[in-house]
Amino acid sequence: MGLRARLTTLARRFGGARFRWRREGVYWVAVAAALLLIGLIKGINLLALLACLMIGLWVLNAFVAGRRLRGLEARRRLPVAVFAGTPFTLEVALTSQAGAQAGIRIDDRGPAHHVSWYVPRVGARETIALRAPVTLPSRGRCIWQMLAASSSHPFGFVQRTRLLLPAEESLVLPALGLLHRGKLRRHLARCGVASEGNRQHARRHPASQAEFHGLRAFRSGDSPRWIHWRTSARCAELMVREFEDVPTDHLILVVDLSVTGAGDGGAVEDLLSLAASVCWEWCRQKGDRLVLAVDGSQPAILDGVTSQSHAIRMLESLAVQEPCSVAGAGDDFLDRLLTTPLPRAPVLYLSLTPTRKGRMLAKRLRHAVLAVDAGMVSRLDFYERPTNDAR
């Protein structure tokens, strides 16, 4: 075993951290070995003593650098929602449980990012927050590799590295564009969605019950809670309170990722970004019902009331979708959608290519459908695509 291998083995016994040679350390040990060899051959004890002191400093550096990494703990904090192509703040909370430490470097690496912080000093039992802007280029599953702390303090001859966090996985949501909600609603209305029949089936919004409109005679289907008993006794017939109706914004969003051949990656990302933008914008107004149906590599039907949690649940489903072949899609998914209790709401049908499935959907669901294919995305007046390269 050579001198370098022996020194590496010796250094690994201290601190429980990985060991890496630095260029300065290699030069230092080489000079020390040369002086030691000359001193032993020529019988110059002063040179041999100097070489031993130099090697001792190298060993001391390896020991001290490893000791500085003991007792360090870290937590990685990510935002609730991370969107492709959108900068966010990555935060790492670093705590020293052993004592005050100095000269530490924290590295967070991944397939699409590398963030490094230099920490001059962290006190005993002190927690410091390390922040850095990060942008992830594409949607899908993101592997956050192991978070590591390293130190070569005080002399910089060797570097000791200790893993603070194991690798973990998170989801990067599709890139968001700009959706003009009012313009989209007008397009849905032109398709016959806002018909008289639909308005008759509109539910009474909970907030509208605070707006008293007047009294009228009781009709079949009215809630007994709306009866105004004093007026009913005076008029000798049941009278109910009438409230100002607030129109609902229920929506059914169908995303069709079935293709006959190899799908165009850009078209897929355009379509998923549009679907994600609709879901995110629609959930800004709470209390409405939004149904997302995706016919892709992982078919899903998600139904819920608009909120941030429902939006994130839908975008997580969109983040992992890939195109599927027509042979494995179509009627089965449509049958499953027909067995799902759907609200009386407009249907926005998004597909990769122009297809007759939109008309089939309108006929079987008995809803008016606004069909949009990937080739139309760049020409839509109610949507602006993301301006980054995340699509």
Side-chain angles (χ1 to χ4, degrees):
M1 184 182 294
L3 177 61
R4 178 170 176 173
R6 291 181 182 274
L7 291 174
T8 300
T9 303
L10 179 64
R12 284 176 177 169
R13 296 180 181 178
F14 302 100
R18 292 188 301 176
F19 172 89
R20 187 175 73 86
W21 286 76
R22 299 194 65 189
R23 181 180 302 176
E24 296 85 351
V26 173
Y27 294 156
W28 183 269
V29 172
V31 171
L35 292 176
L36 180 61
L37 183 62
I38 294 173
L40 292 177
I41 293 176
K42 299 292 185 180
I44 305 175
N45 295 333
L46 187 59
L47 284 181
L49 178 61
L50 177 60
C52 292
L53 289 177
M54 291 177 67
I55 294 174
L57 286 177
W58 185 95
V59 174
L60 178 63
N61 191 172
F63 173 75
V64 173
R67 293 279 297 183
R68 292 189 180 278
L69 304 180
R70 289 184 176 181
L72 290 179
E73 295 181 358
R75 297 190 310 274
R76 184 189 286 120
R77 298 171 180 169
L78 299 174
V80 176
V82 176
F83 299 96
T86 301
F88 67 95
T89 300
L90 172 65
E91 180 176 324
V92 172
L94 181 67
T95 305
S96 175
Q97 299 290 355
Q101 307 291 358
I104 301 170
R105 182 169 295 279
I106 306 297
D107 286 283
D108 192 333
R109 295 177 180 268
H113 80 285
H114 176 208
V115 180
S116 181
W117 298 274
Y118 179 73
V119 182
R121 185 181 185 279
V122 54
R125 305 290 177 178
E126 179 187 3
T127 300
I128 60 174
L130 309 174
R131 299 180 179 87
V134 175
T135 303
L136 299 178
S138 58
R139 65 175 176 88
R141 302 189 186 279
C142 174
I143 303 297
W144 297 85
Q145 296 179 358
M146 294 173 286
L147 185 73
S150 60
S151 175
S152 58
H153 196 77
F155 304 123
F157 296 148
V158 295
Q159 178 176 296
R160 306 295 300 278
T161 302
R162 179 169 171 262
L163 301 179
L164 301 181
L165 285 177
E168 60 179 313
E169 183 182 88
S170 66
L171 275 179
V172 180
L173 306 180
L176 291 183
L178 178 61
L179 182 77
H180 301 280
R181 184 174 184 144
K183 292 182 179 179
L184 175 56
R185 292 179 65 182
R186 286 194 289 272
H187 278 280
L188 295 171
R190 291 193 194 104
C191 292
V193 176
S195 63
E196 185 65 28
N198 283 346
R199 286 197 294 268
Q200 289 176 358
H201 288 84
R203 66 172 172 84
R204 191 179 301 276
H205 198 281
S208 70
Q209 296 185 13
E211 299 295 331
F212 180 72
H213 182 65
L215 295 173
R216 60 170 175 79
F218 181 86
R219 292 197 294 261
S220 177
D222 289 339
S223 173
R225 293 180 299 174
W226 301 341
I227 298 177
H228 194 277
W229 295 104
R230 184 176 301 176
T231 306
S232 299
R234 186 171 59 251
C235 298
E237 68 173 324
L238 291 178
M239 302 293 292
V240 296
R241 299 179 181 88
E242 191 172 32
F243 301 95
E244 188 69 27
D245 276 334
V246 177
T248 62
D249 246 354
H250 299 330
L251 181 66
I252 302 171
L253 176 62
V254 180
V255 182
D256 183 6
L257 297 178
S258 58
V259 291
T260 55
D264 181 4
V268 172
E269 298 306 319
D270 278 340
L271 201 71
L272 290 176
S273 292
L274 172 56
S277 302
V278 172
C279 292
W280 191 255
E281 175 61 34
W282 229 255
C283 285
R284 291 180 183 273
Q285 177 178 302
K286 298 180 180 176
D288 296 305
R289 193 172 164 194
L290 176 58
V291 180
L292 171 66
V294 186
D295 187 7
S297 58
Q298 300 184 31
I301 298 178
L302 303 175
D303 185 3
V305 177
T306 51
S307 63
Q308 186 185 42
S309 60
H310 186 45
I312 293 176
R313 189 163 64 105
M314 292 185 293
L315 265 63
E316 286 178 345
S317 176
L318 293 173
V320 298
Q321 298 292 340
E322 298 296 339
C324 63
S325 63
V326 174
D331 291 340
D332 292 342
F333 178 78
L334 188 56
D335 291 340
R336 182 183 169 193
L337 183 61
L338 289 171
T339 58
T340 303
L342 298 174
R344 188 71 179 177
V347 177
L348 177 59
Y349 174 71
L350 308 180
S351 60
L352 287 175
T353 57
T355 176
R356 298 178 181 177
K357 198 181 294 185
R359 290 193 293 271
M360 185 189 306
L361 197 67
K363 181 178 179 181
R364 298 187 64 178
L365 288 179
R366 296 183 181 178
H367 288 236
V369 175
L370 173 61
V372 175
D373 61 75
M376 301 167 55
V377 172
S378 60
R379 305 191 302 271
L380 297 175
D381 64 340
F382 60 82
Y383 174 68
E384 298 176 25
R385 293 189 297 177
T387 56
N388 48 60
D389 294 328
R391 294 180 293 106

